[in-house]
Amino acid sequence: MFKQHVQGNHTVLSHPKYTSQITLDWFDANYWQQQNKIVGAKKGRATAWFFKQDKLTAVLRHYWRGGLVGKLLSDQYLYPGLEKTRVYKEFSLMSKLIELGLNVPTPVAAKVTHSGLIYRGDIITEAVKGAKSVLDILIERPLTEDELERIAKTIALFHSKGVYHADLNINNILFNDTGDVYIIDFDRGEIRAPNPQWQQSNMARLERSFLKEQGRNKPFNWQASDWQTLHSNYLKALANIS
């Protein structure tokens, strides 16, 4: 599963492969910048930092609150006990998804810093090799029918295993350098009993993200028929798995 140890007011979770290497410095982007080991960054509501350490290329992400609450509390969360923190739940979920053989980045380490009623958190995952998001691709060119089918089959497989993604969007669906589809960012995700209601809600959220990015980006190589292809392949794959 994963290792867990306490250092002062920090609890560190780590993949057994990396436990001996992890220090608290690993969760500090400034530490990697000072060593000139930052190899990239992805901007969003929060910056994800890509760093390289020996043979590992990894992504460091701090937990930030969104919406109006985020403007007041930024990165502070009410501490409900370690196993109920968003950090612990995401790290343990990703560990479980790896065990299930699903295409998610390997979780490297996570940190929960607890002070009184408040906690803050960070998570590190392996970077997906040669990753390009669906958004990145659509800005350059249309998706092929084969790519649409691969996306559909991947989501169907996750759904058949009961994997609920809280924010399924085209930034969180990646192709690696060999064309395999990965899904990332499982904050607030969980494993549920498979059910058409939440599965279709997930798909509706994904469709909205295509439309949202279409309004933001020019050019954006997407049309309604592409969604019909993706969705019909998803339903077919889900039926075949079930």
Side-chain angles (χ1 to χ4, degrees):
M1 190 65 169
F2 56 85
K3 305 290 185 180
Q4 178 180 320
H5 75 272
V6 176
Q7 190 172 340
N9 63 335
H10 310 288
T11 300
V12 176
L13 315 174
S14 58
H15 188 289
K17 179 180 175 182
Y18 298 107
T19 298
S20 62
Q21 303 173 52
I22 302 299
T23 66
L24 294 178
D25 287 332
W26 277 50
F27 302 98
D28 183 357
N30 290 327
Y31 168 77
W32 297 114
Q33 286 176 323
Q34 288 163 9
Q35 298 201 40
N36 294 317
K37 292 190 174 181
I38 295 289
V39 294
K42 190 168 183 66
K43 306 288 184 181
R45 183 162 54 84
T47 301
W49 298 99
F50 291 74
F51 67 87
K52 193 168 180 61
Q53 169 72 359
D54 298 327
K55 295 181 180 180
L56 169 69
T57 303
V59 187
L60 167 63
R61 174 168 53 87
H62 188 67
Y63 285 78
W64 296 94
R65 302 193 72 118
L68 292 174
V69 175
K71 293 180 180 179
L72 296 172
L73 298 176
S74 64
D75 64 345
Q76 301 174 62
Y77 297 86
L78 187 64
Y79 187 69
L82 178 66
E83 295 186 7
K84 292 183 179 179
T85 62
R86 288 168 68 159
V87 185
Y88 187 98
K89 289 198 286 187
E90 182 173 7
F91 194 85
S92 58
L93 174 60
M94 292 186 73
S95 299
K96 178 64 175 176
L97 300 185
I98 291 289
E99 290 177 6
L100 291 174
L102 297 172
N103 281 358
V104 300
T106 299
V108 173
K111 174 170 70 78
V112 175
T113 301
H114 172 216
S115 178
L117 297 175
I118 298 298
Y119 80 92
R120 293 175 172 86
D122 304 270
I123 190 168
I124 300 170
T125 58
E126 288 185 3
V128 175
K129 193 173 181 182
K132 291 194 82 169
S133 72
V134 170
L135 173 60
D136 293 335
I137 293 170
L138 289 173
I139 289 172
E140 293 179 2
R141 62 169 177 81
L143 292 163
T144 66
E145 286 201 10
D146 178 63
E147 287 170 334
L148 289 167
E149 185 176 355
R150 289 187 190 198
I151 294 167
K153 285 183 174 179
T154 301
I155 298 171
L157 180 59
F158 274 71
H159 281 180
S160 72
K161 303 284 188 183
V163 182
Y164 168 78
H165 194 293
D167 187 20
L168 189 62
N169 66 61
I170 62 176
N171 284 290
N172 291 334
I173 301 173
L174 313 178
F175 283 88
N176 72 359
D177 57 354
T178 59
D180 295 320
V181 178
Y182 279 71
I183 300 180
I184 64 169
D185 192 359
F186 284 88
D187 184 22
R188 295 178 293 115
E190 59 186 16
I191 294 181
R192 302 176 169 181
N195 182 289
Q197 186 173 0
W198 68 255
Q199 291 168 341
Q200 285 306 314
S201 175
N202 248 195
M203 294 302 287
R205 188 180 190 94
L206 177 60
E207 183 181 17
R208 288 195 298 273
S209 83
F210 279 108
L211 298 173
K212 180 180 177 181
E213 295 297 347
Q214 189 172 38
R216 285 178 169 177
N217 297 281
K218 302 295 179 195
F220 189 77
N221 298 281
W222 179 254
Q223 51 192 356
S225 60
D226 294 327
W227 175 255
Q228 291 162 7
T229 300
L230 191 158
H231 195 250
S232 63
N233 274 300
Y234 163 80
L235 292 174
K236 187 192 306 179
L238 193 60
N240 288 340
I241 296 168
S242 303

